[in-house]
Amino acid sequence: MTDRIEKTTIKKLYLRLIPLLFVMTFVNYLDRINIGFAQLEMGEQLKIDPAAFGFAGSIFFLGYMVLEVPSNLVLHRVGARRWIARILLTWGVVSALTAFVFDDTSLYVMRFLLGVMEAGFLPGVAVYVAQWFPVRHRARAVGGYIIGSSVAAVVGGPLSTALMTYADDLLRLAGWQWMFLLEGGAAVVLGLCALRWMTDKPADARWLDSRQRAWLETTLEGERGDQTRVPVRRVVGDSRVWSLAILFGCALVGIYGLLLWLPQIIKSLGDLSTLQVGFLSAIPPLLGVLGTFVVSRSSDRTGDRKKHLAFVYGMSAVAIAASAYVPNPVLAYSLLCVTGLFIYAGNPLFWSLASSFRTGAAGAATVALINTIAQFGGLVGPWSIGLVRDATGSFRLALLTIAVFLVVATVLALLMRVRGKDGSTPTSKLEHGELPA
């Protein structure tokens, strides 16, 4: 009887919550990366040079880092339903208003505000899922919504450039303006849906019957009782935390740098339309989904994380550096696709390793600290590429800059100490992909 109640309860939870969280994550990632496609036309119209665009891409992460922890503290006070809805509504408004920027300064302001308003969304959703799904069902639940970021990376290019192409000059607004308005407006609609569709805690879930609510509350309460308090200084003083954070920060230089600049890089390879650039931009992240599946299975089969992590970042470094030097544009694009195949495959390996250092409350603190520190990659990546592109007039040295950071990530992965000073080792039972990158 208990097994049947568990099965029907988890099915209801999944069907009720995960589709909405998936769409939220999709729109979240879309509103992060659509500036890269807008720049194909916005840059020329508003006279925004590469260095200014790179800074605009990076300043988002400053607001995001500063407000991430405070946002999660507020979520615990007011409840996930209202706070996640607030995040969606405010970031949607800011994203939509980006349609009316008129120079580089106004773009800086809107991107910084977008980071401020969006801060805490992904950690907040992770907390919300933990409030509803028992540990043994949580990996599937997180995987069900976090894949929305990968789908956004694949679909974002064709969708955004199609809006820019076919809505251009509608009501005297440029295509890139319509893109911001419509994609930002989607977040506003989702915020309203969150208020109506989300429920704060299982006790309030009238869409579960009494037996299902009782089983869920008892199971979750039992798991919370197993957690112990761990001094913060022990987490902060763990050298593995810092080496892993710096490692992933270096990788994020490449990941975010490539995501935001890929449309411009592809555009530089030939005489391509905005729509063609959008479709070509979808291939590298699509191959990244394939690479994630293959590399993760290999890592699970062998039990190795470090060497696999070093392999994917090392191959990414080689491929992106080679793309800077080959004279043939088709071959250069092919090497960018190879970069995408490997660079995105490191995310589940990284988070599997990060989340396995400690468990319970210490594990949550470890992951939060690593994630916050690693965001320096978002600050450095887009801006440094813009500065190099502006100074040299080409993407060659910019691509080599990404390669250097990926080499550093490779070396750190190989040298990283996995066993803690207390003799602790990563557990093999943790699932891949429980936390977003």
Side-chain angles (χ1 to χ4, degrees):
M1 176 67 73
T2 302
D3 289 343
R4 186 166 64 84
I5 292 175
E6 177 177 0
K7 183 177 180 180
T8 57
T9 303
I10 295 302
K11 182 178 180 180
K12 276 190 178 181
L13 291 179
Y14 201 90
L15 293 176
R16 173 86 180 193
L17 302 178
I18 300 306
L20 179 61
L21 298 180
F22 168 86
V23 178
M24 288 179 180
T25 305
F26 173 86
V27 174
N28 172 257
Y29 217 70
L30 189 64
D31 281 339
R32 280 193 190 190
I33 66 175
N34 60 10
I35 187 176
F37 301 102
Q39 178 65 6
L40 292 169
E41 297 178 359
M42 178 178 67
E44 183 177 348
Q45 293 181 17
L46 302 184
K47 310 302 181 186
I48 297 176
D49 61 38
F53 170 69
F55 182 71
S58 292
I59 200 172
F60 164 91
F61 294 95
L62 181 60
Y64 186 85
M65 291 170 65
V66 170
L67 270 295
E68 184 171 4
V69 174
S71 178
N72 259 28
L73 294 177
V74 175
L75 180 143
H76 281 285
R77 291 179 62 88
V78 305
R81 180 181 68 90
R82 285 188 292 173
W83 194 245
I84 289 175
R86 193 285 304 164
I87 292 174
L88 284 157
L89 289 167
T90 54
W91 114 46
V93 169
V94 171
S95 181
L97 290 177
T98 307
F100 302 106
V101 298
F102 49 87
D103 60 8
D104 50 3
T105 302
S106 60
L107 181 60
Y108 299 158
V109 171
M110 299 310 293
R111 289 296 294 184
F112 176 78
L113 288 177
L114 183 64
V116 169
M117 298 306 175
E118 188 185 308
F121 171 72
L122 288 175
V125 170
V127 169
Y128 183 70
V129 169
Q131 293 172 345
W132 283 89
F133 287 88
V135 170
R136 60 183 174 275
H137 299 287
R138 201 169 295 160
R140 177 171 173 255
V142 174
Y145 76 81
I146 203 64
I147 197 175
S149 61
S150 298
V151 175
V154 174
V155 177
L159 176 62
S160 297
T161 54
L163 290 173
M164 291 169 61
T165 300
Y166 297 113
D168 189 38
D169 206 30
L170 180 64
L171 299 180
R172 296 186 178 180
L173 293 177
W176 62 268
Q177 292 178 296
W178 279 111
M179 183 201 69
F180 281 124
L181 285 169
L182 295 174
E183 293 179 357
V188 174
V189 172
L190 284 172
L192 298 175
C193 291
L195 286 172
R196 181 175 180 82
W197 196 250
M198 294 177 72
T199 308
D200 271 320
K201 53 185 183 295
D204 299 330
R206 298 301 136 199
W207 39 274
L208 294 175
D209 64 37
S210 58
R211 293 180 302 172
Q212 291 170 335
R213 285 197 301 272
W215 173 84
L216 185 58
E217 289 183 273
T218 301
T219 302
L220 293 171
E221 185 61 34
E223 292 178 352
R224 284 192 290 268
D226 293 336
Q227 295 183 3
T228 57
R229 297 181 64 87
V230 176
V232 174
R233 64 179 179 274
R234 186 181 300 176
V235 176
V236 176
D238 192 336
S239 62
R240 298 174 301 169
V241 169
W242 290 92
S243 62
L244 204 56
I246 295 171
L247 182 160
F248 196 51
C250 290
L252 286 180
V253 172
I255 293 171
Y256 283 126
L258 196 60
L259 274 173
L260 292 180
W261 280 100
L262 187 60
Q264 294 287 318
I265 295 171
I266 293 175
K267 182 75 172 179
S268 70
L269 296 177
D271 186 17
L272 300 169
S273 69
T274 297
L275 192 59
Q276 288 172 327
V277 170
F279 276 93
L280 289 173
S281 297
I283 305 301
L286 180 61
L287 290 174
V289 175
L290 174 63
T292 298
F293 177 75
V294 173
V295 174
S296 295
R297 282 179 63 89
S298 173
S299 178
D300 278 342
R301 186 174 61 253
T302 62
D304 168 77
R305 303 290 186 243
K306 286 178 51 174
K307 292 178 182 177
H308 280 73
L309 203 57
F311 172 74
V312 296
Y313 291 149
M315 291 298 295
S316 301
V318 171
I320 200 165
S323 71
Y325 281 96
V326 295
N328 186 292
V330 175
L331 183 56
Y333 173 73
S334 299
L335 288 166
L336 290 173
C337 291
V338 173
T339 304
L341 175 69
F342 288 106
I343 197 170
Y344 301 115
N347 290 350
L349 300 178
F350 168 81
W351 285 113
S352 179
L353 190 57
S355 60
S356 66
F357 283 164
R358 298 185 186 277
T359 58
T366 298
V367 168
L369 181 59
I370 290 172
N371 189 43
T372 300
I373 297 170
Q375 294 304 314
F376 80 82
L379 284 170
V380 172
W383 190 14
S384 62
I385 292 173
L387 289 173
V388 174
R389 170 70 172 83
D390 204 31
T392 64
S394 76
F395 283 105
R396 173 172 289 183
L397 287 180
L399 294 173
L400 291 178
T401 301
I402 292 178
V404 169
F405 278 98
L406 290 172
V407 168
V408 174
T410 302
V411 173
L412 288 174
L414 290 172
L415 297 179
M416 185 174 56
R417 176 175 55 85
V418 176
R419 183 181 295 273
K421 292 182 179 179
D422 56 1
S424 62
T425 56
T427 174
S428 61
K429 295 182 179 179
L430 290 166
E431 295 291 334
H432 286 312
E434 282 203 22
L435 289 163

